[in-house]
Amino acid sequence: MKRVLAIILGGGAGTRLYPLTKMRAKPAVPLAGKYRLIDIPISNCINSEINKIYVLTQFNSASLNRHLTMTYNLSAGFGQGFVEVLAAQQTPDSPSWFEGTADAVRKYQWLFQEWDVDHVLILSGDQLYRMDYSRFVQHHIDSGAQLSVGALPVDPQQAEGFGLMRTDSSGRIQEFREKPKGEALEAMRVDTQSLGLSAEEAQQRPHLASMGIYVFSRDTLFDLLNSNPAATDFGKEIIPIALERGDRLQSYLFNDYWEDIGTIGAFYEANLALTQQPNPPFSFYDEKFPIYTRPRYLPPSKLQDAQVTESIIGEGSLLKACSIHRCVLGVRSRVEDEVVLQDTLVMGSDYFESSEERALLRERGGTPVGIGRGTTIKGAIVDKNVRIGRNVTITNKDRVEEADRPELNFYIRNGIVVVVKNGTIADGTVI
């Protein structure tokens, strides 16, 4: 895998994940109490022995830069390699920002072409899954493909939201369509049993969805980008062009857990699914294929008469006499007495406040970081460094689907209340 270059696409402004992307790039959004979204593809790369990694982003990249710098010093801890952020920049030759996935790679191809590699692995920065990319690359080499596409078997209902591949029995791609419906969807059915699924699975999931991850042979990638300067997206334009001109395109079946967490609803569900017992759909407990993140050297969490069921508690947390059910609490979470948290994601804090600091804040009419006494929160996302007062109720009592209340430090997306980073919710507030 030394002759593979990995490029992780950080995405655009992350509007579907707003307000979590209000002050951070999409790949820097916290995940599972202590990780960031970007940790998933980078860890997959490291575990696959691919250690030349670029991350392309163009919005709010400061926290992403900081996280990568503090986490992935590959030359020190993970062998000879690097993880480097490439932010969109305007130059005389390229006056515009990234206009799509292919355009982002094209704008930095002068840098990528300097590497003496045979294959380029293109990845997404907002997906949750565990994959050994070395098998993907080897499958690409063995099949003689010029471009390989990660393929997820899906049912007809799911299929409407993806780019779909129609393949022959060997997995060679014959046709590619973006989000087909009706008869067009029916025409994209594939015998997924011939690709490795059981007869029952194949009947339930007869479509192959593009995962948005690709292996390109080096010359094929740069030739496609240079000969089609108006093509800005891999899925919508580059893949159909490659098929049309007769390139060999191959699918790579991935029949395991995979979740695109690009929306607030999907992000919320993917996090809470980690609490399922005894077997969550995705687990961070895998010694042979670990997910790496920034080492923080925090003390253990402390629980004082707390009732906790089916939950994940980040290190450095302090929980008093509270009730927590099916929640994910991030590092340095502070939960006071008589608090009830249910089906809620709390991202924790970037710093500690001492007891003296908290008492002084209260005296001066302020609100300490964390969840104040007597508060009830159900079905919500509480971003980092949030200060929630005493006797607050956050349950979306009016069952609102979408709402913007920036002046009150919260938004509602997909029926989920999202309290913004560094926001304060005053004592007695009802949402």
Side-chain angles (χ1 to χ4, degrees), residues 19 21 27 38 107 130 135 146 164 183 205 229 307 378 385 413 418 422:
T21 52
I38 194 65
K107 282 188 166 67
R130 186 180 269 110
R135 294 183 181 179
Q146 292 161 285
L164 297 185
E183 291 182 9
R205 296 182 287 163
Q307 293 182 320
K378 297 181 180 179
N385 309 328
R413 293 287 183 270
V418 184
N422 301 322

Side-chain angles (χ1 to χ4, degrees), residues 102-414:
D103 185 64
V105 176
R106 183 187 290 111
K107 282 188 166 67
Y108 270 105
Q109 69 170 323
W110 58 270
L111 176 61
F112 304 145
Q113 285 176 314
E114 291 179 1
W115 287 98
D116 181 22
V117 296
D118 298 325
H119 306 286
V120 179
L121 175 65
I122 309 284
L123 304 168
S124 174
D126 58 358
Q127 300 171 349
L128 179 59
Y129 64 109
R130 186 180 269 110
M131 180 192 282
D132 185 344
Y133 298 138
S134 64
R135 294 183 181 179
F136 188 6
V137 174
Q138 194 58 51
H139 182 269
H140 170 83
I141 295 168
D142 293 345
S143 66
Q146 292 161 285
L147 162 58
S148 292
V149 183
L152 188 77
V154 294
D155 61 44
Q157 188 176 359
Q158 293 173 304
E160 292 186 356
F162 289 95
L164 297 185
M165 294 165 270
R166 184 173 59 78
T167 69
D168 62 16
S169 57
S170 69
R172 181 167 180 173
I173 300 171
Q174 309 289 318
E175 186 180 359
F176 188 94
R177 288 194 189 185
E178 275 288 332
K179 300 178 182 178
K181 291 180 173 55
E183 291 182 9
L185 175 63
E186 189 64 24
M188 295 299 288
R189 290 176 75 94
V190 173
D191 177 15
T192 48
Q193 185 177 358
S194 67
L195 301 177
L197 267 64
S198 68
E200 186 179 351
E201 286 178 319
Q203 192 171 8
Q204 292 173 347
R205 296 182 287 163
H207 295 284
L208 287 181
S210 169
M211 300 167 67
I213 66 175
Y214 317 102
V215 176
F216 281 89
S217 295
R218 181 185 190 279
D219 293 342
T220 301
L221 172 62
F222 297 129
D223 182 47
L224 281 165
L225 293 176
N226 292 326
S227 57
N228 302 281
T232 60
D233 191 85
F234 284 118
K236 293 175 184 173
E237 294 160 293
I238 293 294
I239 293 177
I241 289 169
L243 274 173
E244 194 174 315
R245 75 178 199 176
D247 287 351
R248 183 180 179 95
L249 273 65
Q250 194 74 21
S251 64
Y252 175 74
L253 189 79
F254 181 73
N255 187 25
D256 205 336
Y257 177 85
W258 178 91
E259 188 65 55
D260 181 346
I261 41 187
T263 68
I264 290 292
F267 175 79
Y268 171 81
E269 293 296 342
N271 272 276
L272 290 195
L274 299 170
T275 68
Q276 289 180 21
Q277 294 298 324
N279 297 310
F282 182 89
S283 174
F284 285 86
Y285 294 85
D286 188 332
E287 291 183 14
K288 295 178 181 176
F289 212 96
I291 304 299
Y292 301 103
T293 193
R294 173 185 161 196
R296 292 180 177 86
Y297 311 112
L298 291 171
S301 293
K302 187 186 291 186
L303 282 67
Q304 301 174 358
D305 200 24
Q307 293 182 320
V308 181
T309 57
E310 291 186 35
S311 296
I312 294 171
I313 312 295
E315 61 260 46
S317 297
L318 178 56
L319 282 57
K320 294 194 174 179
C322 55
S323 175
I324 296 172
H325 175 65
R326 195 169 174 257
C327 293
V328 177
L329 272 57
V331 295
R332 304 185 190 89
S333 289
R334 182 86 181 229
V335 183
E336 298 294 337
D337 295 327
E338 300 170 36
V339 168
V340 175
L341 299 180
Q342 183 177 325
D343 301 327
T344 290
L345 169 60
V346 179
M347 292 185 179
S349 179
D350 291 320
Y351 50 85
F352 287 114
E353 282 180 345
S354 68
S355 299
E356 293 77 17
E357 288 172 321
R358 296 171 72 81
L360 189 60
L361 259 175
R362 275 280 171 206
E363 279 179 31
R364 295 175 175 176
T367 305
V369 165
I371 317 294
R373 192 183 69 216
T375 287
T376 297
I377 305 177
K378 297 181 180 179
I381 298 174
V382 178
D383 208 335
K384 277 195 168 186
N385 309 328
V386 165
R387 301 170 184 273
I388 293 181
R390 293 173 174 169
N391 302 311
V392 171
T393 301
I394 301 176
T395 57
N396 191 6
K397 61 184 178 63
D398 297 325
R399 298 292 175 261
V400 176
E401 272 297 304
E402 305 285 325
D404 291 5
R405 298 290 185 271
E407 72 283 358
L408 299 176
N409 292 318
F410 76 90
Y411 292 74
I412 300 177
R413 293 287 183 270
N414 309 116

